[in-house]
Amino acid sequence: MGQKGVCCCCAALRPRYKRLVDNIFPEDPKDGLVKADMEKLTFYAVSAPEKLDRIGAYLAERLSRDVVRHRYGYVLIAMEALDQLLMACHSQSIKPFVESFLHMVAKLLESGEPKLQVLGTNSFVKFANIEEDTPSYHRRYDFFVSRFSAMCHSCDHDPEIQTEIRIAGIRGIQGVVRKTVNDELRATIWEPQHMDKIVPSLLFNMQKIEDVDSRIGPPSSPTGGEKEENPAVLAENCFRELLGRATYGNMNNAVRPVFAHLDHHRLWDPNEFAVSCFKIIMYSIQAQYSHHVIQEILGHLDVRKRDSPRVRAGIIQVLLEAVAIAAKGSIGPTVLEVFNTLLKHLRISVDFELSDRRSSAGSAAFSTSSKESDERIVQNAIIQTIGFFGSNLPDYQRSEIMMFIMGKVPVFGITSQSLDTSHLGDLGTRRIQIMLLRSLLMVTSGYKATAITNALPAPFLDPLLSPSLMEDSELRQLVLEVLHNLIDRHDNRAKLRGIRIIPDVSDLKIKRDKISRQDVSFMKKHGQQLYRHIYLGCKEEDNVQKNFELLYTSLALTTIELANEEVVIDLIRLAIALQDIAIINEDNLPMFNRCGVMALVAAYLNFLSQMIAVPAFCQHVSKVIETRSLEAPYFLPETIFKDKCNLPKSLEKHEKNLFFLTNKIAESLGGSGYSVERLSVPYVPQVTDEDRLSRRKSIVDTVSIQVDILPGNSTEDKIDSTEEITFEALKKAIDNNGLEEQEKEKRRLVIEKFQKAPFEEIAAQCETKANLLHDRLAQILELTIRPPPSPSGTMTITAGHAHYQSVPVYEMKFPDLF
């Protein structure tokens, strides 16, 4: 009898490869692989590679039989022999042997024994690390993807076995990825049916990481023991490796299953895990593919736009983190798409907030306020994302984004806005305006333009200073803050914070450069717009302390950044006009507002006088401020803006020494070489077309009324000047406005005709008009010649080579050309 009960005759008749295979198995499996016989088998396989497929098939047959009979010791020996043969043989004939090997690994993975599953996984990982000489065009790994993914979700009752199986599943997936990526047919692993199994399996194990913050940032380098014992760390590293190997064509297939997993497990609220996942994605992929991920997040936000506010806020927060990483490099063509999508969802959020308020008015107050606060979370997340993204863009892109956002702000009277707010009503439109201006404020933060014309071009400045953005105190504050961001190019705003009388401006160490030609040109062209906005802003009844502080900062920054001698004179005229607003009070402002305007003028003229350093001017301003501190402290910012301030009942009884006088200022500046002729002309704001469109302005406001305030003017004179506004004057103004509207409508119809009419129709009409003009010119040259009554009063007409007889001038007829 031969080995293992086989007779010697039968053993001698068996093929040699079978005898060599049988010899590696000992009588007792505990003794392990027979190394001497294994060396003979290996030498035989290397010497006769055509026998490899038969060796593999026979080993597979024995292994299958041993698995069924639960002879696990022989199973271990068979897999060890397979591994050694696989490592030793690299010939062309290894392909059939690999098929037998994979068949045996599949048998082990299908068994319910954890040890055999781990054994099969280890063998597959060793195989995955082997680089084959030639690619295999028929081999597929569908079964292994499915089986390893299932092992990643093991729920064995024994925690140690559960961890062991999950680790084996993750390592198996990692082996599949490495094997297919290195193969020429690597594209098969990126198919959606495979990614839908691989990615969720890895994410399922990554959720077990206790310290979420450990995953943010670039890949870490855990120790070998940690990688083997912790499924979460191993899954994270496998996930990073998978994403790092993704290319342009398969990036989306790797990212979309992440959204499905987060949706299925409701991980958007709270969204800590979602944020960490996308940080891993953004750091792992190649930088040029970042815009793919951002597009996928935007697309998923559109899909989930009807979900709860907290879910949408979680997705937007993920977008913010992704954008923060992508903005450091190139994000491709998605810049405007990001902003457009976010602004669309901003409008949707406001719509939801208002609809919830209307539908549940008075009934479920607590529930309604909770929903509104949740929508505010969404809106704040959108604004934060817009601002952070915009502030990280280069200057040339940031200026485009500023124009883009400003073009979305709803402005009354302008119907070409892309952001539709018609169904939101006045309250919704105001909310959109405030949030868009807050977004714009964040985008403009830190923006430093070399020339002010780049920061404030006319298409941006006009809507920003629109009268419809002055209807609300908060809107005016945001507009002024945006202006400060763009005007302040030397970071002086923090030094000017708070409205106050500054004893010595030189202590502030103001930074400034010489005014450039571009800045001078800008002020000549747009200076009146800025003055007008400040002037009208001081006349608003709902002004609070912050409004006055921002108006003061606007005047101070304009002085620092944009003021030459001509602008200084204009700013002084504006300051005196503001003082007149408080004194005359044609707008019936509250006493607090009137005193606030007086304090604003005092603080600004104190700052301006020290900036231009004209001693006589400084002396006059200091004298007025000193007098006010003694007799009328409520005219100074330190007093009027206190919580409790005693306000005067009227301002009519105050003496001239409490006011800044134009003649005194003119005398002081004239002696220092300033051209002070224009100081005698009171400042009157320009009336624009927007005033006629604004809901805040009546037709009376479109008629400029200029009243000279002289010391000798009596009350009767003021009454006479107001009587000039008669019914006929108002009727004429209305008629003129109607004619202008008719002219605008005619121009609009002509433009619309040329935009929409067929080309043939326009060409035919132009040809007809050209023929008519030609006929009329011919009629002029064919004038009827009559004999002159006398030699005098005649003239000779010469046209081309024809000479016409003298014709009396009074008888020449020129038909109407049109």
Side-chain angles (χ1 to χ4, degrees):
M1 297 292 293
Q3 191 175 9
K4 296 185 210 133
V6 180
C7 66
C8 296
C9 297
C10 295
L13 295 175
R14 291 167 63 81
R16 184 182 180 188
Y17 71 89
K18 287 189 177 182
R19 283 183 278 131
L20 291 173
V21 170
D22 291 336
N23 290 338
I24 67 174
F25 292 92
E27 289 289 343
D28 186 358
K30 294 182 180 179
D31 296 336
L33 183 68
V34 180
K35 295 183 179 180
D37 291 324
M38 186 63 215
E39 291 177 0
K40 294 178 183 180
L41 178 61
T42 303
F43 179 78
Y44 176 76
V46 173
S47 303
E50 68 276 4
K51 300 293 185 179
L52 266 175
D53 58 334
R54 298 182 185 184
I55 295 173
Y58 184 58
L59 276 171
E61 179 185 342
R62 287 197 57 128
L63 183 138
S64 299
R65 185 170 63 246
D66 292 336
V67 169
V68 172
R69 295 176 181 178
H70 300 283
R71 298 163 63 178
Y72 298 140
Y74 288 121
V75 172
L76 294 175
I77 293 172
M79 290 308 300
E80 185 179 354
L82 282 169
D83 292 342
Q84 291 190 24
L85 288 173
L86 201 60
M87 299 297 293
C89 303
H90 294 283
S91 65
Q92 184 69 28
S93 303
I94 199 175
K95 301 301 178 188
F97 176 75
V98 170
E99 299 304 322
S100 300
F101 170 79
L102 293 178
H103 177 70
M104 284 183 281
V105 172
K107 284 287 184 180
L108 295 180
L109 295 177
E110 287 177 337
S111 68
E113 184 64 31
K115 291 183 179 180
L116 296 185
Q117 294 178 5
V118 173
L119 179 63
T121 302
N122 292 337
S123 295
F124 183 85
V125 171
K126 292 178 183 178
F127 162 71
N129 292 328
I130 297 175
E131 294 185 7
E132 300 182 49
D133 297 335
T134 56
S136 176
Y137 294 100
H138 62 281
R139 190 186 307 155
R140 294 185 64 87
Y141 298 94
D142 300 15
F143 167 79
F144 297 99
V145 171
S146 300
R147 189 58 194 158
F148 288 138
S149 299
M151 291 169 63
C152 290
H153 293 83
S154 173
C155 297
D156 195 276
H157 297 293
D158 189 342
E160 293 184 1
I161 295 178
Q162 181 188 98
T163 301
E164 190 177 9
I165 295 176
R166 288 187 179 183
I167 289 176
I170 297 169
R171 293 180 67 242
I173 288 177
Q174 194 172 29
V176 172
V177 171
R178 290 176 179 175
K179 190 63 178 176
T180 53
V181 166
N182 292 331
D183 200 343
E184 291 185 5
L185 294 180
R186 59 187 177 275
T188 56
I189 195 64
W190 300 106
E191 293 176 358
Q193 64 266 27
H194 298 322
M195 287 291 104
D196 290 343
K197 298 174 184 176
I198 293 175
V199 174
S201 301
L202 298 177
L203 295 178
F204 176 76
N205 286 275
M206 288 167 58
Q207 286 178 248
K208 304 302 179 181
I209 294 184
E210 296 180 0
D211 186 8
V212 175
D213 294 334
S214 66
R215 292 198 311 274
I216 62 176
S220 57
S221 299
T223 61
E226 185 181 9
K227 289 175 64 177
E228 292 296 332
E229 296 176 2
N230 193 337
V233 174
L234 186 62
E236 177 191 331
N237 284 278
C238 183
F239 189 50
R240 291 183 186 272
E241 183 177 352
L242 176 68
L243 295 169
R245 297 176 183 269
T247 59
Y248 179 85
N250 46 51
M251 176 60 64
N252 293 342
N253 290 340
V255 174
R256 285 171 185 167
V258 178
F259 294 105
H261 179 83
L262 297 175
D263 290 342
H264 179 71
H265 293 275
R266 299 179 180 179
L267 296 174
W268 294 111
D269 179 32
N271 68 338
E272 287 82 2
F273 180 72
V275 169
S276 65
C277 280
F278 277 91
K279 283 187 176 181
I280 291 174
I281 292 173
M282 296 303 293
Y283 279 118
S284 300
I285 63 175
Q286 300 180 45
Q288 63 267 30
Y289 303 146
S290 297
H291 63 279
H292 279 288
V293 181
I294 294 176
Q295 285 177 328
E296 290 295 324
I297 299 174
L298 293 173
H300 194 69
L301 182 60
D302 288 336
V303 172
R304 303 299 298 271
K305 63 182 179 182
R306 297 291 177 183
D307 281 26
S308 66
R310 292 190 175 272
V311 170
R312 287 181 280 126
I315 299 174
I316 295 169
Q317 179 67 25
V318 167
L319 178 64
L320 171 61
E321 299 294 341
V323 158
I325 299 171
K328 298 175 183 177
S330 173
I331 57 170
T334 58
V335 177
L336 289 181
E337 182 181 353
V338 170
F339 287 98
N340 199 30
T341 303
L342 289 174
L343 294 178
K344 179 180 68 176
H345 284 278
L346 186 63
R347 180 188 57 79
I348 292 173
S349 178
V350 172
D351 195 7
F352 284 160
E353 180 184 357
L354 296 179
S355 61
D356 289 340
R357 181 181 300 179
R358 289 191 294 264
S359 61
S360 55
S363 58
F366 177 78
S367 175
T368 303
S369 68
S370 177
K371 289 182 179 179
E372 289 181 5
S373 63
D374 288 346
E375 289 296 344
R376 295 293 176 92
I377 294 174
V378 176
Q379 295 160 14
N380 290 332
I382 293 175
I383 292 171
Q384 187 180 8
T385 304
I386 291 175
F388 187 86
F389 191 14
S391 61
N392 280 278
L393 292 174
D395 287 346
Y396 72 92
Q397 280 188 325
R398 203 192 302 197
S399 60
E400 294 178 1
I401 295 304
M402 288 159 47
M403 295 285 293
F404 181 77
I405 296 177
M406 197 64 236
K408 298 287 186 178
V409 177
V411 177
F412 181 75
I414 299 179
T415 58
S416 60
Q417 300 297 320
S418 340
L419 199 62
D420 182 19
T421 59
S422 56
H423 64 288
L424 297 179
D426 291 345
L427 180 60
T429 301
R430 176 186 174 275
R431 287 282 302 153
I432 290 290
Q433 288 176 329
I434 288 177
M435 286 183 288
L436 288 179
L437 287 175
R438 286 176 57 194
S439 304
L440 187 62
L441 180 62
M442 295 189 69
V443 172
T444 56
S445 177
Y447 180 66
K448 298 290 186 297
T450 54
I452 196 66
T453 51
N454 297 334
L456 291 172
F460 177 82
L461 184 63
D462 294 342
L464 182 65
L465 301 182
S466 170
S468 68
L469 297 182
M470 298 183 65
E471 299 177 3
D472 181 85
S473 173
E474 187 176 357
L475 284 174
R476 296 195 301 275
Q477 293 173 12
L478 290 171
V479 169
L480 290 173
E481 288 176 341
V482 170
L483 281 175
H484 297 170
N485 282 344
L486 297 174
I487 295 176
D488 183 20
R489 291 171 289 179
H490 296 87
D491 298 323
N492 291 312
R493 182 174 36 172
K495 304 172 185 177
L496 301 170
R497 196 179 306 276
I499 180 171
R500 63 194 188 281
I501 302 298
I502 303 174
D504 190 354
V505 174
S506 61
D507 293 340
L508 300 180
K509 297 181 180 179
I510 299 293
K511 298 179 182 178
R512 61 185 305 187
D513 292 331
K514 185 178 180 181
I515 307 301
S516 64
R517 289 185 178 181
Q518 293 89 339
D519 294 345
V520 173
S521 175
F522 173 83
M523 289 305 292
K524 287 183 178 179
K525 189 174 183 181
H526 301 289
Q528 293 299 323
Q529 281 182 275
L530 295 176
Y531 305 151
R532 178 178 177 276
H533 187 79
I534 295 173
Y535 180 84
L536 296 179
C538 290
K539 297 174 66 174
E540 298 294 337
E541 294 185 6
D542 59 343
N543 279 338
V544 294
Q545 178 179 348
K546 185 176 180 180
N547 291 88
F548 289 112
E549 290 179 351
L550 293 173
L551 289 165
Y552 163 75
T553 306
S554 301
L555 289 167
L557 289 176
T558 304
T559 304
I560 296 171
E561 299 286 349
L562 303 171
N564 56 6
E565 291 188 4
E566 183 178 349
V567 174
V568 166
I569 298 299
D570 288 336
L571 289 171
I572 294 174
R573 292 176 58 216
L574 174 61
I576 298 301
L578 294 177
Q579 180 178 256
D580 292 342
I581 289 176
I583 297 174
I584 302 170
N585 197 25
E586 291 180 346
D587 299 281
N588 296 320
L589 295 176
M591 185 56 67
F592 170 79
N593 293 59
R594 297 172 69 184
C595 293
V597 172
M598 297 291 283
L600 166 65
V601 173
Y604 173 63
L605 288 181
N606 171 70
F607 177 82
L608 176 63
S609 63
Q610 296 186 55
M611 287 296 294
I612 63 177
V614 175
F617 185 25
C618 293
Q619 185 178 2
H620 172 64
V621 172
S622 299
K623 185 176 181 181
V624 173
I625 292 174
E626 184 179 354
T627 306
R628 287 185 178 185
S629 63
L630 297 174
E631 301 180 13
Y634 39 78
F635 284 169
L636 298 177
E638 289 81 1
T639 302
I640 187 61
F641 295 124
K642 287 183 179 179
D643 294 336
K644 295 181 180 180
C645 176
N646 295 323
L647 299 176
K649 295 182 180 180
S650 65
L651 303 183
E652 283 73 14
K653 298 180 180 180
H654 288 80
E655 300 294 334
K656 292 182 181 180
N657 57 357
L658 294 175
F659 304 137
F660 300 100
L661 303 178
T662 306
N663 56 349
K664 294 285 187 180
I665 297 175
E667 289 176 6
S668 60
L669 293 180
S672 298
Y674 281 82
S675 178
V676 296
E677 291 79 9
R678 289 187 300 116
L679 278 178
S680 60
V681 181
Y683 170 79
V684 178
Q686 293 179 343
V687 179
T688 64
D689 293 337
E690 288 183 343
D691 290 328
R692 300 185 179 96
L693 296 173
S694 177
R695 292 171 291 184
R696 304 172 60 256
K697 305 294 180 182
S698 65
I699 192 64
V700 178
D701 295 324
T702 65
V703 182
S704 297
I705 307 169
Q706 182 172 337
V707 181
D708 292 330
I709 307 300
L710 299 175
N713 278 359
S714 62
T715 307
E716 289 78 8
D717 295 333
K718 297 179 183 178
I719 296 176
D720 292 341
S721 64
T722 58
E723 290 178 353
E724 295 176 5
I725 307 175
T726 62
F727 175 76
E728 294 298 329
L730 294 177
K731 182 178 178 182
K732 183 178 180 181
I734 294 174
D735 292 341
N736 291 337
N737 191 24
L739 292 174
E740 291 179 3
E741 293 298 329
Q742 292 178 4
E743 291 295 328
K744 290 181 180 179
E745 182 65 18
K746 287 181 180 179
R747 289 195 295 270
R748 188 188 66 80
L749 292 175
V750 171
I751 294 172
E752 184 178 356
K753 181 176 182 180
F754 272 88
Q755 288 177 340
K756 298 181 179 180
F759 175 76
E760 293 78 6
E761 179 182 340
I762 297 174
Q765 187 174 3
C766 292
E767 184 178 1
T768 303
K769 289 185 177 181
N771 294 335
L772 178 61
L773 180 62
H774 182 271
D775 294 341
R776 294 296 176 89
L777 289 173
Q779 291 177 12
I780 293 175
L781 296 178
E782 295 176 359
L783 296 172
T784 303
I785 302 174
R786 300 178 182 178
S790 62
S792 60
T794 64
M795 67 176 292
T796 301
I797 301 177
T798 303
H801 299 288
H803 182 75
Y804 293 87
Q805 190 175 357
S806 298
V807 181
V809 176
Y810 59 85
E811 289 190 13
M812 294 178 62
K813 298 180 180 180
F814 295 92
D816 184 12
L817 292 177
F818 303 97

